[in-house]
Amino acid sequence: DTTQGAATQVTAPAAAAAVQAPAPVVDTTAARDVNPSQLLSKVGLRLTREAGRVAGYTLLPRGDSRLVRAAGLQPGDVLLSVNGDALDPERLPEVLARLQTDPRAVVTYRRDGQIRTVTLGSGTE
């Protein structure tokens, strides 16, 4: 009996960990001289939900995508946070307003199941 109990204790956490494994993180931080406020004003953003919860905003192409490419982003990327602030309907207006005066932003996004980051802006006006 004690052997079966020990086996259950070992395998149950392992199975739970396999199911809840986080998306792999890819460190792609690179300073790109793209104004984050200008970038976000030129793209479409669609609220993305997963398992009934807000998961960020999917980047949609709108017009010329040169600025998106210059930022290292692609249509379909899911923007998760800006400067550590999660993107959701309540925070998005505040984040966008802050970017009007802050020329630098660290954007965290998901592409192909991997979490990535990119630093946008020169850090100067």
Side-chain angles (χ1 to χ4, degrees):
D1 275 340
T2 56
T3 305
Q4 287 177 340
T8 301
Q9 289 175 358
V10 171
T11 57
V19 171
Q20 297 175 0
V25 176
V26 175
D27 185 11
T28 58
T29 301
R32 296 181 183 262
D33 197 15
V34 172
N35 181 301
S37 178
Q38 183 182 14
L39 170 70
L40 291 176
S41 71
K42 301 272 185 199
V43 299
L45 297 174
R46 182 185 67 223
L47 183 65
T48 301
R49 294 182 182 272
E50 293 175 0
R53 295 183 304 206
V54 172
Y57 284 85
T58 300
L59 191 67
L60 302 174
R62 190 167 74 180
D64 186 2
S65 62
R66 280 184 289 178
L67 195 57
V68 173
R69 286 192 310 272
L73 298 170
Q74 298 175 5
D77 288 347
V78 178
L79 304 183
L80 305 172
S81 68
V82 175
N83 293 333
D85 293 324
L87 293 180
D88 59 39
E90 293 80 30
R91 291 190 189 121
L92 185 62
E94 178 185 327
V95 169
L96 294 176
R98 227 178 298 132
L99 288 177
Q100 295 294 319
T101 58
D102 189 354
R104 190 168 176 93
V106 176
V107 177
T108 302
Y109 62 101
R110 185 177 60 241
R111 178 188 300 157
D112 299 329
Q114 296 180 325
I115 305 299
R116 304 166 184 239
T117 61
V118 64
T119 301
L120 303 177
S122 62
T124 60
E125 290 287 341

